[in-house]
């Protein structure tokens, strides 16, 4: 038993040393990831200040396609959105917070009729428009998957202002797309919910998704506010 005890001490010392050696590079990697995310945010602000032509929108997309942002639309990825949404709620300030699910209506028909390259143009157009609202309302936009986007907006004084913005957003999401000699109309459905300061990120996403489902049931191209439907 006495012979085993020194070996146990050595083993503990080795494990502790290995932990200390691994901790420093891991912390450095985390800091590098945070710096990269801040750089992405600064670049995204620049493209809206100078405009896509002057600031090199293609360069921005290339720089932000390394796992933090969607390579096609420049919005953040689903995993990044969910993480930053949870952080935003944990550190929320005053004012109204609204979360939206945005879905391109009949997107499969666009791809089938005009081709996937043209469908990509539609996604880029919608993504760029949503990033304008991200900037205007101190929020965040992500590509949740396929033709679905999520948008957090936080800078509202009251619910009346939010409703005006949702009306405006729905109207602007009806756009004419021209690509490869083809011209067609794109419109979207929007499901929105107002954070009650109790729900967590997952619950908020579920509320917005249920509101989006109601819009789809009612004929698409419009918005529905979760609280209006008595779903809670």
């Amino acid at each position: 038993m006495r012979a085993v005890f020194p070996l146990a001490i050595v083993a503990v010392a080795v494990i502790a040393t290995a932990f200390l050696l691994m901790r420093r590079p891991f912390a450095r990697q985390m800091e590098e990831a945070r710096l990269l995310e801040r750089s992405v945010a600064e670049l995204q602000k620049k493209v809206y200040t100078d405009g896509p032509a002057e600031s090199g929108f293609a360069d921005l997309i290339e720089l932000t396609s390394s796992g933090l942002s969607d390579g096609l639309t420049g919005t953040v990825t689903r995993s990044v959105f969910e993480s930053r949404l949870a952080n935003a709620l944990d550190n929320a300030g005053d004012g109204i917070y609204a979360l939206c699910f945005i879905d391109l209506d009949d997107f499969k028909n666009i791809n089938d009729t005009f081709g996937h390259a043209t469908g990509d143009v539609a996604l880029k157009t919608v993504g760029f428009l949503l990033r304008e609202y991200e900037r205007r309302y101190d929020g965040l936009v992500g590509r949740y998957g396929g033709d679905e986007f999520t948008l957090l907006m936080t800078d509202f004084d009251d619910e009346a202002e939010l409703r005006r913005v949702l009306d405006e957003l729905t109207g602007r999401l009806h756009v004419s797309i021209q690509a490869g000699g083809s011209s067609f109309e794109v419109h979207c459905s929007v499901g929105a919910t107002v954070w009650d300061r109790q729900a967590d990120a997952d619950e908020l996403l579920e509320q917005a998704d249920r509101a989006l489902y109601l819009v789809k049931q009612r004929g698409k191209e419009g918005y529905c506010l979760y609280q209006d439907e008595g779903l809670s």
Side-chain angles (χ1 to χ4, degrees):
M1 187 69 179
R2 290 179 179 178
V4 173
F5 185 69
L7 292 176
I9 294 176
V10 171
V12 170
V14 169
I15 293 172
T17 302
F19 174 77
L20 291 173
L21 290 173
M22 293 174 62
R23 183 180 178 183
R24 184 171 297 174
F26 177 75
R28 185 169 58 251
Q29 290 174 358
M30 292 297 294
E31 179 59 25
E32 289 174 353
R34 284 191 288 268
L35 287 172
L36 178 57
E37 186 171 346
R38 285 197 293 270
S39 297
V40 168
E42 290 172 2
L43 283 168
Q44 289 173 331
K45 288 181 180 178
K46 186 176 187 300
V47 78
Y48 284 106
T49 301
D50 299 339
E54 289 79 2
S55 56
F57 187 59
D59 292 338
L60 176 65
I61 295 298
E62 182 179 352
L63 286 169
T64 60
S65 62
S66 58
L68 290 174
S69 294
D70 171 58
L72 178 65
T73 65
T75 63
V76 301
T77 60
R78 174 174 177 169
S79 59
V80 172
F81 184 90
E82 290 177 338
S83 174
R84 291 180 62 181
L85 172 62
N87 184 65
L89 300 184
D90 288 341
N91 298 280
D94 296 331
I96 292 176
Y97 281 53
L99 179 68
C100 303
F101 249 118
I102 299 99
D103 181 84
L104 274 74
D105 296 327
D106 305 314
F107 184 66
K108 183 178 184 302
N109 291 340
I110 295 174
N111 280 335
D112 291 345
T113 303
F114 302 103
H116 289 275
T118 301
D120 286 349
V121 173
L123 290 171
K124 290 179 183 179
T125 302
V126 170
F128 189 77
L129 174 64
L130 293 176
R131 290 170 69 192
E132 176 189 333
Y133 282 80
E134 169 191 50
R135 178 184 61 87
R136 283 171 55 186
Y137 297 100
D138 194 21
L140 177 68
V141 61
R143 186 178 178 191
Y144 207 70
D147 59 339
E148 279 192 332
F149 294 85
T150 43
L151 172 65
L152 174 68
M153 297 183 289
T154 68
D155 193 18
F156 297 109
D157 294 327
D158 51 45
E159 194 169 304
E161 181 186 6
L162 169 61
R163 291 180 184 275
R164 287 195 299 270
V165 170
L166 290 174
D167 280 326
E168 175 192 291
L169 176 62
T170 305
R172 293 191 62 193
L173 284 171
H174 189 144
V175 295
S176 179
I177 303 292
Q178 293 186 356
S182 301
S183 179
F184 59 95
E185 300 295 312
V186 170
H187 49 80
C188 299
S189 297
V190 179
T193 187
V194 175
W195 185 40
D196 62 1
R197 308 245 162 197
Q198 299 295 323
D200 61 21
D202 289 338
E203 291 170 328
L204 208 60
L205 286 164
E206 182 180 351
Q207 291 174 8
D209 191 35
R210 291 177 67 183
L212 174 63
Y213 177 74
L214 287 179
V215 179
K216 292 290 190 180
Q217 278 190 321
R218 294 170 181 173
K220 309 173 185 178
E221 193 180 6
Y223 82 86
C224 172
L225 195 60
Y226 176 83
Q227 283 74 16
D228 288 345
E229 305 302 321
L231 297 173
S232 54

Coordinates of all heavy atoms in Angstrom, one line a residue, residues 127-164:
G127 N -31.4 38.3 -47.1 CA -30.4 38.4 -46.0 C -29.9 39.8 -45.8 O -29.7 40.3 -44.7
F128 N -29.6 40.5 -46.9 CA -29.0 41.8 -46.9 C -30.1 42.8 -46.3 O -29.7 43.7 -45.5 CB -28.6 42.3 -48.3 CG -27.8 43.6 -48.3 CD1 -26.5 43.6 -47.9 CD2 -28.5 44.8 -48.7 CE1 -25.8 44.8 -47.9 CE2 -27.8 46.0 -48.7 CZ -26.4 46.0 -48.3
L129 N -31.3 42.7 -46.7 CA -32.4 43.5 -46.2 C -32.5 43.3 -44.7 O -32.6 44.3 -43.9 CB -33.7 43.2 -46.9 CG -34.9 44.0 -46.4 CD1 -34.8 45.5 -46.5 CD2 -36.2 43.5 -47.0
L130 N -32.5 42.1 -44.2 CA -32.7 41.8 -42.8 C -31.5 42.4 -42.0 O -31.7 42.8 -40.8 CB -32.8 40.3 -42.5 CG -34.1 39.7 -43.1 CD1 -34.1 38.2 -42.9 CD2 -35.3 40.3 -42.5
R131 N -30.3 42.4 -42.6 CA -29.2 43.0 -41.9 C -29.3 44.5 -41.7 O -28.7 45.1 -40.8 CB -27.9 42.6 -42.6 CG -27.6 41.1 -42.5 CD -26.5 40.6 -43.4 NE -25.2 41.2 -43.0 CZ -24.1 41.1 -43.7 NH1 -24.2 40.6 -44.9 NH2 -23.0 41.6 -43.3
E132 N -30.0 45.1 -42.6 CA -30.3 46.5 -42.4 C -31.1 46.7 -41.1 O -30.9 47.6 -40.3 CB -31.1 47.1 -43.5 CG -31.5 48.6 -43.4 CD -32.5 49.0 -44.4 OE1 -32.4 48.5 -45.6 OE2 -33.3 49.9 -44.2
Y133 N -32.1 45.9 -40.9 CA -33.0 46.0 -39.6 C -32.2 45.6 -38.4 O -32.4 46.1 -37.3 CB -34.2 45.1 -39.8 CG -35.2 45.8 -40.7 CD1 -35.1 45.8 -42.1 CD2 -36.3 46.5 -40.1 CE1 -36.1 46.4 -42.9 CE2 -37.2 47.2 -40.9 CZ -37.1 47.1 -42.3 OH -38.0 47.8 -43.1
E134 N -31.3 44.6 -38.6 CA -30.3 44.3 -37.5 C -29.6 45.5 -37.0 O -29.5 45.8 -35.8 CB -29.4 43.2 -38.0 CG -28.2 42.9 -37.0 CD -27.1 42.1 -37.7 OE1 -26.7 42.4 -38.8 OE2 -26.7 41.1 -37.0
R135 N -29.1 46.3 -37.9 CA -28.3 47.5 -37.6 C -29.2 48.6 -37.0 O -28.8 49.2 -36.1 CB -27.6 48.0 -38.9 CG -26.8 49.3 -38.7 CD -26.2 49.7 -40.0 NE -27.2 50.0 -41.0 CZ -27.8 51.2 -41.1 NH1 -27.5 52.2 -40.3 NH2 -28.8 51.4 -42.1
R136 N -30.3 48.8 -37.7 CA -31.2 49.9 -37.2 C -31.8 49.7 -35.8 O -32.0 50.6 -35.1 CB -32.4 50.0 -38.2 CG -32.0 50.7 -39.5 CD -33.2 50.6 -40.5 NE -34.4 51.1 -40.0 CZ -35.6 51.0 -40.7 NH1 -35.6 50.5 -41.9 NH2 -36.7 51.5 -40.2
Y137 N -32.0 48.4 -35.5 CA -32.7 48.1 -34.2 C -31.8 47.3 -33.2 O -32.3 46.6 -32.4 CB -34.0 47.4 -34.4 CG -35.0 48.4 -35.2 CD1 -35.1 48.2 -36.6 CD2 -35.6 49.4 -34.6 CE1 -35.9 49.1 -37.3 CE2 -36.4 50.3 -35.3 CZ -36.6 50.1 -36.7 OH -37.4 51.0 -37.4
D138 N -30.5 47.6 -33.3 CA -29.5 47.0 -32.4 C -29.8 45.5 -32.1 O -30.0 45.1 -31.0 CB -29.6 47.8 -31.1 CG -28.4 47.5 -30.2 OD1 -27.4 47.1 -30.7 OD2 -28.5 47.8 -29.0
G139 N -29.8 44.8 -33.2 CA -30.2 43.4 -33.0 C -29.2 42.4 -33.6 O -28.0 42.6 -33.6
L140 N -29.8 41.3 -34.2 CA -29.0 40.2 -34.7 C -29.8 39.4 -35.7 O -31.0 39.2 -35.4 CB -28.5 39.3 -33.6 CG -27.7 38.1 -34.0 CD1 -26.3 38.5 -34.6 CD2 -27.5 37.1 -32.8
V141 N -29.2 39.1 -36.8 CA -29.9 38.3 -37.8 C -29.1 37.0 -38.1 O -27.9 37.1 -38.2 CB -30.3 39.0 -39.1 CG1 -29.0 39.5 -39.8 CG2 -31.1 38.2 -40.0
G142 N -29.8 35.9 -38.3 CA -29.1 34.7 -38.6 C -29.9 33.9 -39.6 O -31.1 34.0 -39.8
R143 N -29.1 33.1 -40.4 CA -29.8 32.1 -41.3 C -30.0 30.8 -40.5 O -29.1 30.1 -40.1 CB -28.9 31.9 -42.5 CG -29.7 31.0 -43.6 CD -28.8 30.8 -44.8 NE -29.5 29.9 -45.7 CZ -28.9 29.4 -46.8 NH1 -27.6 29.7 -47.1 NH2 -29.6 28.6 -47.6
Y144 N -31.3 30.6 -40.2 CA -31.6 29.4 -39.3 C -31.5 28.1 -40.0 O -31.3 27.1 -39.4 CB -33.0 29.6 -38.7 CG -33.2 29.0 -37.4 CD1 -32.5 29.5 -36.3 CD2 -34.0 27.9 -37.2 CE1 -32.7 28.9 -35.0 CE2 -34.2 27.3 -36.0 CZ -33.5 27.8 -34.9 OH -33.7 27.2 -33.7
G145 N -31.7 28.2 -41.3 CA -31.6 26.9 -42.1 C -32.4 27.0 -43.4 O -33.6 27.5 -43.3
G146 N -31.9 26.6 -44.5 CA -32.6 26.6 -45.8 C -33.0 28.0 -46.1 O -32.2 28.9 -46.3
D147 N -34.3 28.3 -46.2 CA -34.9 29.6 -46.5 C -35.5 30.3 -45.3 O -36.3 31.2 -45.4 CB -35.9 29.5 -47.6 CG -37.1 28.6 -47.2 OD1 -36.9 27.8 -46.3 OD2 -38.2 28.7 -47.8
E148 N -35.0 29.9 -44.1 CA -35.5 30.5 -42.9 C -34.5 31.4 -42.2 O -33.3 31.0 -42.2 CB -36.0 29.5 -41.9 CG -37.4 28.9 -42.1 CD -37.8 28.1 -40.9 OE1 -37.0 27.5 -40.2 OE2 -39.1 28.0 -40.7
F149 N -34.9 32.6 -41.8 CA -34.0 33.5 -41.1 C -34.6 33.8 -39.7 O -35.8 33.8 -39.5 CB -33.8 34.8 -41.9 CG -33.1 34.7 -43.2 CD1 -33.8 34.3 -44.3 CD2 -31.7 34.9 -43.3 CE1 -33.1 34.2 -45.5 CE2 -31.1 34.8 -44.5 CZ -31.8 34.4 -45.6
T150 N -33.7 34.2 -38.8 CA -34.2 34.7 -37.5 C -33.6 36.1 -37.3 O -32.5 36.4 -37.6 CB -33.7 33.8 -36.3 OG1 -32.3 33.4 -36.6 CG2 -34.6 32.5 -36.3
L151 N -34.5 37.0 -36.7 CA -34.1 38.4 -36.5 C -34.5 38.8 -35.1 O -35.6 38.7 -34.7 CB -34.8 39.2 -37.6 CG -34.6 40.7 -37.4 CD1 -33.2 41.2 -37.6 CD2 -35.6 41.5 -38.4
L152 N -33.5 39.2 -34.3 CA -33.7 39.9 -33.0 C -33.6 41.4 -33.2 O -32.7 41.9 -33.8 CB -32.7 39.4 -32.0 CG -32.8 40.0 -30.6 CD1 -34.1 39.7 -29.9 CD2 -31.5 39.7 -29.8
M153 N -34.6 42.1 -32.7 CA -34.6 43.5 -32.7 C -34.9 44.0 -31.3 O -35.8 43.5 -30.6 CB -35.6 44.1 -33.7 CG -35.4 43.8 -35.1 SD -36.5 44.5 -36.3 CE -38.0 43.6 -35.9
T154 N -34.2 45.0 -30.8 CA -34.2 45.4 -29.4 C -34.5 46.8 -29.1 O -34.9 47.2 -28.0 CB -32.9 45.0 -28.7 OG1 -31.9 45.9 -29.1 CG2 -32.5 43.6 -28.9
D155 N -34.4 47.7 -30.1 CA -34.4 49.1 -29.8 C -35.8 49.7 -30.1 O -36.0 50.6 -30.9 CB -33.3 49.8 -30.6 CG -33.1 51.2 -30.1 OD1 -33.5 51.6 -29.0 OD2 -32.5 52.0 -30.9
F156 N -36.8 49.3 -29.3 CA -38.2 49.9 -29.5 C -38.6 50.5 -28.2 O -38.4 50.0 -27.1 CB -39.2 48.7 -29.8 CG -38.9 48.0 -31.1 CD1 -38.4 46.8 -31.1 CD2 -39.1 48.7 -32.3 CE1 -38.1 46.1 -32.3 CE2 -38.8 48.1 -33.5 CZ -38.4 46.8 -33.5
D157 N -39.3 51.7 -28.4 CA -39.8 52.4 -27.2 C -41.1 51.8 -26.7 O -41.4 51.8 -25.5 CB -40.0 53.9 -27.5 CG -38.7 54.6 -27.8 OD1 -37.7 54.2 -27.2 OD2 -38.6 55.5 -28.6
D158 N -42.0 51.4 -27.7 CA -43.3 50.8 -27.3 C -43.7 49.8 -28.4 O -43.1 49.7 -29.4 CB -44.3 51.9 -27.1 CG -44.4 52.9 -28.3 OD1 -44.4 52.4 -29.4 OD2 -44.4 54.1 -28.1
E159 N -44.8 49.1 -28.1 CA -45.3 48.1 -29.0 C -45.9 48.7 -30.3 O -45.8 48.1 -31.3 CB -46.4 47.3 -28.3 CG -46.7 46.0 -29.1 CD -47.6 45.1 -28.3 OE1 -47.2 44.7 -27.1 OE2 -48.7 44.7 -28.8
A160 N -46.4 49.9 -30.2 CA -46.9 50.6 -31.4 C -45.7 50.8 -32.5 O -45.9 50.5 -33.7 CB -47.5 51.9 -31.1
E161 N -44.6 51.1 -32.0 CA -43.4 51.3 -32.9 C -43.0 49.9 -33.5 O -42.7 49.8 -34.7 CB -42.2 51.8 -32.1 CG -41.0 52.0 -33.0 CD -39.7 52.5 -32.2 OE1 -39.8 52.5 -31.0 OE2 -38.7 52.7 -32.9
L162 N -43.1 48.9 -32.7 CA -42.8 47.5 -33.2 C -43.7 47.1 -34.3 O -43.3 46.6 -35.3 CB -42.8 46.5 -32.0 CG -42.8 45.0 -32.4 CD1 -41.5 44.7 -33.1 CD2 -43.0 44.1 -31.2
R163 N -45.0 47.4 -34.1 CA -46.0 47.0 -35.1 C -45.8 47.8 -36.4 O -45.9 47.2 -37.5 CB -47.4 47.2 -34.6 CG -47.8 46.3 -33.5 CD -49.2 46.5 -33.0 NE -49.5 45.7 -31.8 CZ -50.0 44.4 -31.9 NH1 -50.2 43.9 -33.1 NH2 -50.3 43.7 -30.9
R164 N -45.4 49.0 -36.3 CA -45.1 49.8 -37.5 C -43.9 49.2 -38.2 O -43.9 49.1 -39.5 CB -44.8 51.3 -37.1 CG -46.0 52.1 -36.7 CD -45.7 53.6 -36.7 NE -44.7 53.9 -35.8 CZ -44.9 54.3 -34.5 NH1 -46.1 54.3 -34.0 NH2 -43.8 54.6 -33.7

